[in-house]
Amino acid sequence: MNFYIDPAFYVFLAVAIVPAAVLGFSGHRIKYYGLAASLAFLLLLFGGNAEGMLAFAAFLAIACVVTFWELASWKSGQKALWKFRCALVAVIAPLVVYKIGAVFDHNLMGFLGISYITFKAVQVIIEIRDDLIEDMNFTDYLYFLVFFTPFTSGPIDRSRRFTEDANRTYTASEYADLLARGIMLLLVGAVYQKVLGTVFHHYFTPAPLGGGPWWAELGAQVKDAYMYGFYLFFDFAGYSLMAMGASYCFGIKTPRNFRAPFLATDVRDFWDRWHMTLSTWLRDFVFMRAVKSATRRKLFKDRLHTACAGYMANFLLMGAWHGLTVDYLVYGAYYGVLMGATDVYQKKSAFHKRHKKKNWYKVVQWFVTINVVMLGMAIFSGQMHTVIGGLIHG
């Protein structure tokens, strides 16, 4: 059963919300029921896939063992760097093996949701190392990893925020507000994904360049880039809204994932609005750490060059996280270059500093941004690969 796709999922979700609502309205904690419901939904998710179920169970066992091994070491004052590194390698290795296997059409250690649960497990290990997590009980950790509503495709929550919600009891009026908002998010998300996403996907018809006039062929390619961009937004934002809505019904305020991304006035602003839980995760656990390490080692001559290198590392990892294919890796490199170029331009350009607050300049910035974003969509979807391949073989 596929979450947010199969009609049966919505039936089971509606049934599962009823006991959560009873607990919420009566002032009881929903956590233990939410954990049981999550495990039941994951059984439905993996029910027809024994291989995926075994891979998931193996990952869960590895993550629990190495995380609490590291936590016990930190609590006892034996803060060994090698234990931290071993724990990181242990939880990242299944995802790496899966991504490499996928290149050769083999599913090795893979299961639906592996990318997102890996980010959760890595976050906890790093925050233990940073002394941000001083203690965590097994139930809270397990619930954080297996909570079903964002399991397959995010949004990516943070353990401390999630645990605070999970252990909270709400008054009847507080839970009524959560439930109402949750149902509204479910309905809006369904309209986004099922209606608007379907409409834009219908008009996404990628094809190599034909023999027509150049302006018509170019127009067709631009149309497809925009149609895919809007389709991806409404499909993914719709899913994210539904995941948020279902979470609210279980008393968990899963964070927002999109905030009007196509109104962004530069690519940095775009990533502050698009798949926000992924971009902030990468910012906190990849970019900032890469910049800090490079600065400490004096690898680059100034902070601007260091930031540009950090952007490239950050977005190449993001591309690889989507998949080890040419399209995804080029997509990551594309945004790494754009983010660095934007940083250099905004900090070095006297023209930008002189006009950045003027309305006409903001409109120009938006126009440039929306077009470079849609070019990125063409790379991500494989459309550019198709066009270039057609030119080479044509």
Side-chain angles (χ1 to χ4, degrees), residues 318-337:
M318 183 268 290
W321 176 75
H322 281 96
L324 298 176
T325 65
V326 172
D327 295 326
Y328 291 139
L329 295 176
V330 171
Y331 176 77
Y334 173 76
Y335 270 109
V337 170

Side-chain angles (χ1 to χ4, degrees), residues 23 33 42 62 88 97 125 134 137 145 147 220 246 289 294 373 387:
L23 291 169
Y33 169 71
L42 293 185
I62 291 169
L88 273 185
V97 170
I125 289 170
E134 297 180 352
N137 66 55
L145 290 186
F147 185 50
R289 291 168 191 276
V373 163
V387 171

Side-chain angles (χ1 to χ4, degrees), residues 45 303-304 368 394:
L45 178 68
R303 294 178 64 182
L304 189 56
V368 171

Side-chain angles (χ1 to χ4, degrees), residues 12 14 20 27 40-41 76 79 97-98 123 125-126 133-134 148 151 161 210 224 245 282 308 314 318 354-355 372 385:
F12 285 117
F41 271 94
S76 65
K79 299 184 178 182
V97 170
Y98 166 66
Q123 174 249 308
I125 289 170
I126 292 176
I133 297 176
E134 297 180 352
F148 78 97
F151 185 86
R161 198 217 62 76
D224 281 328
L282 290 170
C308 289
N314 189 74
M318 183 268 290
R354 187 163 58 250
H355 299 290
V372 298
H385 197 153

Side-chain angles (χ1 to χ4, degrees), residues 196-249:
L196 297 174
T198 300
V199 169
F200 284 109
H201 188 263
H202 176 75
Y203 292 102
F204 173 59
T205 55
L209 291 172
W214 69 267
W215 52 267
E217 296 296 328
L218 178 60
Q221 295 299 329
V222 171
K223 182 268 295 182
D224 281 328
Y226 270 79
M227 291 302 101
Y228 181 80
F230 291 136
Y231 153 70
L232 185 62
F233 167 71
F234 284 111
D235 183 73
F236 194 17
Y239 158 82
S240 297
L241 287 171
M242 288 190 285
M244 286 176 62
S247 299
Y248 274 46
C249 296

Side-chain angles (χ1 to χ4, degrees), residues 142-192:
L142 181 64
Y143 191 25
F144 173 61
L145 290 186
V146 305
F147 185 50
F148 78 97
T149 71
F151 185 86
T152 54
S153 297
I156 305 170
D157 210 341
R158 301 295 178 90
S159 62
R160 289 176 293 156
R161 198 217 62 76
F162 177 90
T163 300
E164 184 179 343
D165 278 357
N167 286 296
R168 183 175 174 181
T169 56
Y170 295 94
T171 65
S173 61
E174 287 174 335
Y175 181 75
D177 181 60
L178 275 181
L179 183 63
R181 291 171 65 188
I183 293 171
M184 181 60 67
L185 287 169
L186 280 164
L187 293 174
V188 173
V191 172
Y192 266 42

Side-chain angles (χ1 to χ4, degrees), residues 40-53:
F41 271 94
L42 293 185
L43 283 174
L44 292 172
L45 178 68
F46 296 117
N49 182 3
E51 186 178 339
M53 173 68 82

